[in-house]
Amino acid sequence: STPWKPREAQSPARDSIKSELPFEGLRVLDLGIFWAGPYISCYLGGYGADVIKVESIQRADAFRFQCAYPEEGPDWYERSSIYQHTNLSKRNITLNLDNLEGKRIFERLAAKADVIIENFSPRVMDNFGFTAERLKEINPNLIVVRVPGFGLEGPWRDYTSFAMPLEQVSAMSWITGNPDGPPVNLGGYADAIVGMHALVALQAALLHRARTSQAQLVEVSQLEVGACLTAEQVIAYSMTGKIIGRMGNRCETMAPQGVYRCSCGKSVAMSIRDDSDWNLFREMPAVSTWAMNNRFTSLEGRRARHDELDSLISQWTNGISADSVVSILRDTGIPASIVLTQANIASEPHLVSRKFFQELDHPLTGVRRYPRWPWLQSTGPGEHRFRAPTLGEHNYEILSGELGLTDDEIAYLASQEVIGTIPKGLG
């Protein structure tokens, strides 16, 4: 018998739209900066949504100024690889939201939008005059996704947040690193994880609106996402009083486990999952002289002597190539892989054979490779994604073509620096 009765079929969220792209027809205003906010709309755009990224020449998305350098020329702020990757499949308009005319234009865009996304500290939208209540007045059907560092309420409300301090305050860094070394930041990837959590929450809000005609304010606190990822530490301490610390490449259930340097300069990661794996490993001719020692027979014995095992395994791997180590271990039935570095991941045979990287042409930086989604679908976005926009690239298209402003009105907005295409101070 089944554990529960099948749920009744639900109507599709957008059954009036016939398309293989689930978000086609969805209008999104993306005010996000850096990674967490823009990552949400990057996925939406890849699945058919019309995403308009809103920046200003006074405060352009700071990601434009990372992984890009003035030595590249006067348009260097358009060349950031990380900005381009995070802002695929979007159009771009610049609006100074401190300016009354900029506010009016934004209100007109918001009135026709389905979703607004922002990841400022809460005070920013309040200072613009676009609180959740005001946005609801403008458009009762608007879903507002707010992704503040530390929530919309509480004593840390107005603190700004970036991925790396978030990794520290949520204790991700505490468990990353070697036991005898300091905590280590993950490198900023908390932002991407926050974005994916917010994307799921937004989809739930879209389904709710489709079924009830009710829009929602969706709050995704970055700190709370980080705390979800470190829940094991809290649970372990609550139940046992144990403080989980840094273990390097090791764990409590497998030994030996680690990363070992080879003669070619590359490293191999391997894990002995259980006693069965160890019995296979210890019979390999290259290591049997020492691995047959009964001191290593049990998991407890191997964990207690892990440093010694690392040294003995390294003596073996140091003498042969990484390809040979992986081949021997895999033929034996032990999981192992060459450690990929940033320099060689783009040419990794498995990713290349599965066409994981998509080439997109940008008018200023040429063809670049971008990772596809980490899944494949029989129907889905396919080649729908398009390159990231330049600053204010679609000002005229949106202001004239969609809002009906005249050329003189658009020229006036540019003269007042309400819109523009060059960050203020660089022109």
Side-chain angles (χ1 to χ4, degrees), residues 316-332:
W316 167 53
T317 62
N318 285 341
I320 59 176
S321 69
D323 288 333
S324 297
V325 172
V326 169
S327 178
I328 293 170
L329 291 172
R330 287 182 178 175
D331 288 346
T332 304

Side-chain angles (χ1 to χ4, degrees), residues 38 47 59 63 70-71 73 112 122 137 140 158 161 194 228 247 261 307 313 326 335 343 375-376 402 421:
Y47 278 88
R59 288 180 179 270
F63 247 16
E71 293 82 358
K112 297 181 179 180
E137 291 176 358
D158 289 327
S161 174
V194 167
C228 284
M247 301 179 67
R261 181 75 67 176
D307 288 344
I313 293 172
V326 169
W375 56 79
L376 295 174
E402 297 185 16
T421 57

Side-chain angles (χ1 to χ4, degrees), residues 155-227:
W156 290 5
R157 176 184 186 271
D158 289 327
Y159 290 177
T160 56
S161 174
F162 297 89
M164 285 182 279
L166 176 65
E167 290 164 4
Q168 297 172 50
V169 75
S170 63
M172 293 184 204
S173 299
W174 173 258
I175 58 171
T176 305
N178 292 315
D180 56 350
V184 176
N185 273 354
L186 280 67
Y189 297 104
D191 268 7
I193 298 167
V194 167
M196 289 304 297
H197 277 71
L199 178 62
V200 173
L202 169 57
Q203 291 180 85
L206 288 168
L207 287 169
H208 178 80
R209 188 182 69 175
R211 293 169 180 167
T212 67
S213 298
Q214 295 178 347
Q216 292 180 307
L217 166 64
V218 178
E219 176 194 358
V220 181
S221 166
Q222 297 180 33
L223 172 59
E224 291 172 16
V225 173

Side-chain angles (χ1 to χ4, degrees), residues 12-33:
R14 300 183 65 82
D15 52 7
S16 62
I17 297 175
K18 306 300 181 183
S19 171
E20 65 175 16
L21 297 172
F23 296 124
E24 188 168 339
L26 193 74
R27 169 65 70 90
V28 179
L29 299 183
D30 173 16
L31 282 75
I33 57 174

Side-chain angles (χ1 to χ4, degrees), residues 98-115:
D98 285 321
N99 178 281
L100 183 59
E101 291 299 322
K103 294 180 192 292
R104 289 173 178 168
I105 293 171
F106 181 76
E107 288 182 357
R108 293 181 64 185
L109 292 174
K112 297 181 179 180
D114 293 290
V115 178

Side-chain angles (χ1 to χ4, degrees), residues 344-357:
N344 60 26
I345 192 171
S347 59
E348 200 281 324
H350 180 73
L351 296 177
V352 171
S353 67
R354 289 175 56 78
K355 299 179 181 178
F356 177 70
F357 295 101

